[in-house]
Amino acid sequence: MYVAQPIEWTDRGVVMLDQRRLPAEEISYTYNDYREVAKAITEMVIRGAPAIGVAAAMGVALGVLRSPAQTLEALRTEFAEICETLAKTRPTAVDLFWAIERMKRRFASLSSATSDLAKIREAMVTEARQVHIEKKATDEAIGRYGAEFMPAEGQVMTQCNAGALATGGIGTALGVIRVAVEQGKKLHVLVPETRPYLQGARLTAWELHRGGIPLTLITDNMVGHFLKTGKVGAIVTGADRIAANGDTANKIGTYQIAVLAKENNVPFYIAAPISTFDLTIAGGEQIPIEERSAAEVTHIQGVRIAPDVNAAHPAFDVTPARYIAAIFTERGVARAPYNESLRALAGS
Ligand code: MRU
């Protein structure tokens, strides 16, 4: 089955598929400067929490590899700046900070063991590539755990894009659907278009169509209508940050889907790697919500669709844990009470 490749480390640099141009055009760029990688994350060339983490790890590695520093001291100074630049790109997806912290730990252990800059550079590249390799294995494990919860046949719903484009593997929510289909389940996916950035219409519809998984694209305001029919067997979405109590930030619109799911007795699931947990915060009200440009609401692909008025664009919302039937991770399935099950899975 076709798997999109949003990011790749190559000898020429970090290659990214421009997700802003999909589905109309498949254009890739090769980045050789960590600042370009940071800009690509901010401007959504690459998006989706785990893929942002992979991009950040590769950005850090690229910064170290291309740094003009000739001494360990100079490299240390530049390293701090590289990490700070990448950390400022997007605030909600905790995978970004997880990846930067991992690269910091690796740098600290390497630089305390050697002052050979060539060795440090090579090992940092290996670490970033390892982050990407691990994401693939993680997605497959999430897919296997989650597929059990998908109905044998019928409609399921998702939100935004939590597919290969969003992770660099097979996807989290779409990975669950993909594994279920590979196991022989006859699923048909309802895909809300996910205004304002249209990740559902542009990216999820594209990925499912390419993968040969049947789908129906719907507008966001059709969600309640379809859930009320009794024909949707399950909903599965990704996550950008999961607090210790299970409250989950995901793409704007996820909260209202979860509430409507409860009203209509449809199980609502989250599929996410452990790297998306943020157990340092007790609940969802502490999750920073990214506010993106109002132009993404007043315009579609550069074309104005509203008069020149105020527009709001919180890019994420928080679904309280009480609406979440289970969270699928690479280490197993978490159920309420999440304060206990998430800690047990994270091993802390
Ligand atoms: O703004 P985006 O496109 O980065 O938002 C993406 C989402 O909300 C995804 O559902 C989430 O990151 C999970 S991706 C596996």
Side-chain angles (χ1 to χ4, degrees):
M1 206 182 277
Y2 174 77
V3 182
Q5 184 61 262
I7 185 163
E8 206 182 345
W9 181 277
T10 72
D11 292 341
R12 289 169 291 116
V14 177
V15 177
M16 281 187 210
L17 177 64
D18 187 349
Q19 299 193 29
R20 300 166 307 179
R21 311 283 278 266
L22 290 173
E25 293 172 295
E26 286 175 51
I27 296 176
S28 295
Y29 308 116
T30 304
Y31 298 118
N32 267 298
D33 187 314
Y34 76 89
R35 296 172 200 88
E36 293 173 334
V37 172
K39 190 161 179 273
I41 298 172
T42 306
E43 295 184 353
M44 313 267 281
V45 172
I46 192 158
R47 32 64 52 202
I52 292 172
V54 174
M58 289 187 182
V60 172
L62 192 61
V64 172
L65 186 66
R66 301 275 192 252
S67 159
Q70 310 254 346
T71 65
L72 185 53
E73 233 7 79
L75 186 60
R76 267 208 189 99
T77 307
E78 206 180 345
F79 182 75
E81 198 175 316
I82 294 166
C83 293
E84 209 175 304
T85 303
L86 285 155
K88 278 190 200 140
T89 51
R90 295 196 70 191
T92 305
V94 80
D95 289 71
L96 175 87
F97 307 100
W98 169 87
I100 294 170
E101 282 310 311
R102 177 166 164 168
M103 296 303 281
K104 278 186 183 169
R105 282 198 303 276
R106 187 72 186 117
F107 185 79
S109 90
L110 285 162
S111 57
S112 65
T114 178
S115 54
D116 182 337
L117 298 192
K119 262 199 192 135
I120 294 177
R121 289 185 163 110
E122 194 190 324
M124 291 300 283
V125 171
T126 303
E127 186 74 1
R129 299 184 83 163
Q130 188 57 29
V131 168
H132 192 192
I133 290 166
E134 287 172 20
K135 286 288 158 214
K136 294 177 197 230
T138 297
D139 281 4
E140 278 167 28
I142 293 171
R144 283 194 297 276
Y145 281 115
E148 304 282 314
F149 291 75
M150 295 296 103
E153 59 182 2
Q155 293 182 336
V156 294
M157 189 182 280
T158 188
Q159 164 73 341
C160 191
N161 172 267
L165 288 169
T167 68
I170 60 167
T172 52
L174 292 194
V176 167
I177 292 170
R178 178 188 287 266
V179 172
V181 168
E182 282 168 356
Q183 288 172 352
K185 295 191 171 180
K186 304 266 177 275
L187 301 182
H188 186 110
V189 189
L190 287 178
V191 180
E193 60 182 355
T194 317
R195 277 275 290 148
Y197 210 74
L198 299 174
Q199 289 93 331
R202 296 189 305 102
L203 308 178
T204 296
W206 181 79
E207 265 197 66
L208 291 173
H209 185 60
R210 276 274 175 106
I213 298 176
L215 73 132
T216 299
L217 180 64
I218 61 174
T219 62
D220 299 325
N221 51 1
M222 295 176 189
V223 164
H225 169 79
F226 278 100
L227 290 178
K228 197 145 76 74
T229 61
K231 291 186 186 148
V232 180
I235 302 167
V236 57
T237 79
D240 285 84
R241 197 184 287 231
I242 303 174
N245 68 351
D247 290 354
T248 296
N250 192 49
K251 180 52 53 191
I252 191 76
T254 304
Y255 167 55
Q256 63 199 29
I257 295 178
V259 174
L260 283 161
K262 184 146 202 155
E263 168 70 18
N264 292 287
N265 295 314
V266 180
F268 174 87
Y269 302 114
I270 294 289
I274 307 278
S275 55
T276 303
F277 292 6
D278 184 354
L279 303 184
T280 67
I281 60 173
E285 61 293 337
Q286 291 168 59
I287 299 177
I289 300 294
E290 178 180 11
E291 190 68 39
R292 289 190 66 84
S293 159
E296 290 175 355
V297 176
T298 55
H299 293 66
I300 293 184
Q301 310 255 293
V303 177
R304 179 176 278 286
I305 56 152
D308 191 8
V309 293
N310 279 338
H313 185 184
F316 302 94
D317 58 27
V318 175
T319 299
R322 65 180 178 280
Y323 293 107
I324 301 170
I327 300 176
F328 312 139
T329 77
E330 70 272 34
R331 294 195 197 143
V333 177
R335 297 267 203 183
Y338 291 108
N339 266 318
E340 290 164 22
S341 58
L342 296 183
R343 273 194 201 284
L345 284 175
S348 59

